[in-house]
Amino acid sequence: MATAAEIETIGVKVRAYKSDASDFNAAQVLIGEIQKEFGRIDILVNNAGISERTPFLDYTAETFDKVMDLNVTGLFNSTHAAASIMATQGNGVILNTSSMVSIYGQPSGVAYPTSKFAVNGLTVSLARELGPK
C-alpha cells in the first residue's frame, strides 16, 4: 500500500488492493471492483507466487496445496475474471510469470517447479484459445 502512495506522488493514478487470489469468488469481486473504478481492464499481470524448499520426503499435502493454490489456482482465478471482461471489451493483455525451475527443477521444494510448469501449460493453452479474441 505504501508503494501505491509513493507512485501517486508523481501524478499516476494507482490503487492497491488486497484479496485472496486462491478464492475464485474473491478474484471475481476484486477484478469487478477494478473494472468499476477504472472503466475497463487492459492488462493483467499474474506475478504472485510462493516458493517452498522443503525436501520431498518431508512435504505434507498441506504444504503442496498451499503453493499450488496461490501459484496455479490464483492465476486461474484472476485470469478467468479478467479474461471475461477483456472478451467483452474486445481486447486486453494477460502476462503470466513463471520460472526456469519449471523446466530444470530444483533439488528440494517440489511444489514450486510443479506449479510453474502448470503455469507454462496454462499460459500456452490460454494463448491458443484467447489470443485470437
Coordinates of all heavy atoms in Angstrom, one line a residue, residues 16-50:
A16 N -4.0 0.1 -4.7 CA -3.6 -1.2 -4.3 C -4.8 -1.9 -3.7 O -5.6 -1.3 -3.0 CB -2.5 -1.0 -3.2
Y17 N -4.9 -3.2 -4.0 CA -6.0 -4.0 -3.5 C -5.4 -5.2 -2.8 O -4.3 -5.7 -3.1 CB -6.8 -4.5 -4.7 CG -7.5 -3.4 -5.5 CD1 -6.8 -2.8 -6.5 CD2 -8.7 -2.9 -5.1 CE1 -7.4 -1.8 -7.3 CE2 -9.3 -1.9 -5.9 CZ -8.6 -1.3 -6.9 OH -9.2 -0.3 -7.7
K18 N -6.2 -5.7 -1.8 CA -5.8 -6.9 -1.1 C -6.9 -7.9 -1.3 O -8.1 -7.6 -1.1 CB -5.5 -6.6 0.3 CG -5.0 -7.8 1.1 CD -4.6 -7.4 2.5 CE -4.1 -8.7 3.3 NZ -3.8 -8.3 4.6
S19 N -6.5 -9.2 -1.7 CA -7.5 -10.2 -1.9 C -6.9 -11.6 -1.7 O -5.6 -11.7 -1.8 CB -8.1 -10.0 -3.3 OG -9.1 -11.0 -3.5
D20 N -7.7 -12.6 -1.6 CA -7.2 -14.0 -1.6 C -7.2 -14.5 -3.0 O -8.3 -14.9 -3.5 CB -8.0 -14.8 -0.6 CG -7.6 -16.3 -0.5 OD1 -6.6 -16.6 -1.3 OD2 -8.2 -17.0 0.2
A21 N -6.1 -14.5 -3.7 CA -6.1 -15.0 -5.1 C -6.6 -16.4 -5.2 O -7.0 -16.8 -6.3 CB -4.7 -14.8 -5.6
S22 N -6.4 -17.2 -4.2 CA -6.8 -18.6 -4.3 C -8.3 -18.8 -4.2 O -8.8 -19.9 -4.4 CB -6.1 -19.5 -3.3 OG -6.5 -19.2 -2.0
D23 N -9.1 -17.8 -3.9 CA -10.5 -17.8 -3.8 C -11.2 -17.3 -5.1 O -11.0 -16.1 -5.4 CB -10.9 -17.0 -2.6 CG -12.4 -17.0 -2.4 OD1 -13.2 -17.0 -3.3 OD2 -12.8 -16.9 -1.2
F24 N -11.8 -18.2 -5.8 CA -12.4 -17.8 -7.1 C -13.3 -16.6 -7.0 O -13.2 -15.7 -7.8 CB -13.2 -19.1 -7.7 CG -13.7 -18.8 -9.1 CD1 -12.9 -19.0 -10.2 CD2 -15.1 -18.4 -9.2 CE1 -13.5 -18.8 -11.5 CE2 -15.6 -18.2 -10.5 CZ -14.8 -18.4 -11.6
N25 N -14.3 -16.7 -6.1 CA -15.2 -15.6 -5.9 C -14.6 -14.3 -5.5 O -15.0 -13.2 -6.0 CB -16.3 -16.0 -4.9 CG -17.2 -17.1 -5.4 OD1 -17.5 -17.1 -6.6 ND2 -17.6 -18.0 -4.6
A26 N -13.5 -14.3 -4.7 CA -12.8 -13.1 -4.3 C -12.1 -12.5 -5.5 O -12.1 -11.3 -5.6 CB -11.8 -13.4 -3.2
A27 N -11.6 -13.3 -6.4 CA -11.0 -12.8 -7.6 C -12.0 -12.1 -8.5 O -11.7 -11.1 -9.1 CB -10.2 -13.9 -8.3
Q28 N -13.1 -12.7 -8.6 CA -14.2 -12.2 -9.4 C -14.6 -10.8 -8.9 O -14.8 -9.8 -9.7 CB -15.4 -13.1 -9.5 CG -15.2 -14.4 -10.1 CD -15.0 -14.4 -11.6 OE1 -15.7 -13.5 -12.3 NE2 -14.2 -15.2 -12.2
V29 N -14.8 -10.7 -7.6 CA -15.2 -9.4 -6.9 C -14.1 -8.4 -7.1 O -14.3 -7.3 -7.5 CB -15.5 -9.7 -5.4 CG1 -15.6 -8.3 -4.7 CG2 -16.8 -10.5 -5.3
L30 N -12.8 -8.8 -6.9 CA -11.7 -7.8 -7.0 C -11.6 -7.3 -8.4 O -11.5 -6.0 -8.6 CB -10.4 -8.5 -6.6 CG -9.1 -7.6 -6.8 CD1 -9.2 -6.4 -5.9 CD2 -7.9 -8.5 -6.5
I31 N -11.6 -8.1 -9.4 CA -11.4 -7.7 -10.8 C -12.6 -6.8 -11.2 O -12.5 -5.8 -11.9 CB -11.2 -8.9 -11.7 CG1 -9.9 -9.7 -11.4 CG2 -11.2 -8.4 -13.2 CD1 -8.7 -8.9 -11.6
G32 N -13.8 -7.2 -10.7 CA -15.0 -6.4 -10.9 C -14.9 -5.0 -10.3 O -15.3 -4.0 -11.0
E33 N -14.4 -4.9 -9.1 CA -14.2 -3.6 -8.5 C -13.2 -2.7 -9.3 O -13.4 -1.5 -9.4 CB -13.7 -3.8 -7.0 CG -14.7 -4.3 -6.1 CD -14.1 -4.6 -4.7 OE1 -13.0 -4.2 -4.4 OE2 -14.9 -5.1 -3.9
I34 N -12.1 -3.4 -9.8 CA -11.1 -2.6 -10.5 C -11.7 -2.1 -11.8 O -11.5 -1.0 -12.2 CB -9.9 -3.5 -10.8 CG1 -9.2 -3.8 -9.5 CG2 -9.0 -2.9 -11.8 CD1 -8.1 -4.9 -9.6
Q35 N -12.5 -3.0 -12.5 CA -13.2 -2.5 -13.7 C -14.1 -1.4 -13.4 O -14.2 -0.4 -14.2 CB -13.9 -3.7 -14.4 CG -14.7 -3.2 -15.6 CD -15.7 -4.2 -16.1 OE1 -16.3 -4.9 -15.3 NE2 -16.0 -4.2 -17.4
K36 N -14.8 -1.5 -12.3 CA -15.8 -0.4 -12.0 C -15.1 0.9 -11.7 O -15.5 2.0 -12.2 CB -16.6 -0.8 -10.7 CG -17.7 0.1 -10.4 CD -18.5 -0.4 -9.2 CE -19.6 0.5 -8.8 NZ -20.4 0.0 -7.7
E37 N -13.9 0.8 -11.1 CA -13.2 2.1 -10.8 C -12.5 2.7 -12.0 O -12.5 3.9 -12.2 CB -12.2 1.8 -9.7 CG -11.4 3.1 -9.3 CD -10.5 3.0 -8.1 OE1 -10.5 1.9 -7.4 OE2 -9.8 4.0 -7.8
F38 N -11.9 1.8 -12.8 CA -11.1 2.3 -13.9 C -11.9 2.3 -15.3 O -11.4 2.8 -16.3 CB -9.8 1.6 -14.0 CG -8.9 1.9 -12.9 CD1 -8.8 1.1 -11.8 CD2 -8.0 3.0 -13.0 CE1 -8.0 1.5 -10.7 CE2 -7.2 3.3 -12.0 CZ -7.1 2.6 -10.8
G39 N -13.0 1.6 -15.3 CA -13.8 1.6 -16.5 C -13.5 0.4 -17.5 O -14.4 0.1 -18.3
R40 N -12.4 -0.2 -17.3 CA -12.0 -1.4 -18.2 C -10.8 -2.1 -17.5 O -10.2 -1.6 -16.6 CB -11.7 -0.9 -19.6 CG -10.7 0.2 -19.7 CD -10.6 0.7 -21.1 NE -10.0 -0.2 -22.0 CZ -10.7 -0.7 -23.1 NH1 -11.9 -0.4 -23.4 NH2 -10.1 -1.6 -23.9
I41 N -10.5 -3.2 -18.1 CA -9.3 -4.0 -17.7 C -8.5 -4.2 -19.0 O -8.9 -4.9 -19.9 CB -9.6 -5.4 -17.1 CG1 -10.6 -5.2 -15.9 CG2 -8.4 -6.1 -16.8 CD1 -9.9 -4.7 -14.6
D42 N -7.3 -3.5 -19.1 CA -6.5 -3.6 -20.2 C -5.4 -4.6 -20.1 O -5.0 -5.3 -21.0 CB -5.9 -2.2 -20.6 CG -7.0 -1.3 -21.0 OD1 -7.7 -1.6 -22.0 OD2 -7.1 -0.2 -20.5
I43 N -4.8 -4.7 -18.9 CA -3.6 -5.6 -18.6 C -3.8 -6.3 -17.3 O -4.2 -5.7 -16.3 CB -2.3 -4.7 -18.6 CG1 -2.1 -4.0 -19.9 CG2 -1.1 -5.7 -18.3 CD1 -1.0 -3.0 -19.9
L44 N -3.5 -7.6 -17.3 CA -3.4 -8.3 -16.1 C -2.1 -8.9 -16.0 O -1.6 -9.6 -17.0 CB -4.5 -9.5 -16.0 CG -4.4 -10.5 -14.9 CD1 -4.6 -9.8 -13.5 CD2 -5.3 -11.7 -15.1
V45 N -1.3 -8.7 -14.9 CA 0.0 -9.3 -14.7 C -0.2 -10.3 -13.6 O -0.4 -9.8 -12.4 CB 1.1 -8.3 -14.5 CG1 2.4 -9.0 -14.2 CG2 1.2 -7.3 -15.6
N46 N 0.0 -11.6 -13.8 CA -0.1 -12.6 -12.8 C 1.4 -12.8 -12.3 O 2.1 -13.5 -13.0 CB -0.7 -13.9 -13.3 CG -2.2 -13.8 -13.5 OD1 -2.9 -13.4 -12.5 ND2 -2.7 -14.1 -14.7
N47 N 1.7 -12.2 -11.2 CA 3.1 -12.3 -10.7 C 3.2 -12.8 -9.3 O 4.3 -12.9 -8.8 CB 3.8 -10.9 -10.9 CG 5.3 -11.0 -10.6 OD1 5.9 -11.9 -11.1 ND2 5.8 -10.1 -9.8
A48 N 2.1 -13.1 -8.7 CA 2.1 -13.6 -7.3 C 2.6 -15.0 -7.3 O 2.4 -15.8 -8.2 CB 0.7 -13.6 -6.7
G49 N 3.3 -15.4 -6.3 CA 3.8 -16.7 -6.1 C 4.6 -16.9 -4.8 O 5.1 -16.0 -4.3
I50 N 4.6 -18.2 -4.4 CA 5.3 -18.5 -3.2 C 6.2 -19.8 -3.6 O 5.8 -20.6 -4.4 CB 4.5 -18.8 -2.0 CG1 3.4 -19.8 -2.3 CG2 3.9 -17.5 -1.4 CD1 2.6 -20.3 -1.1

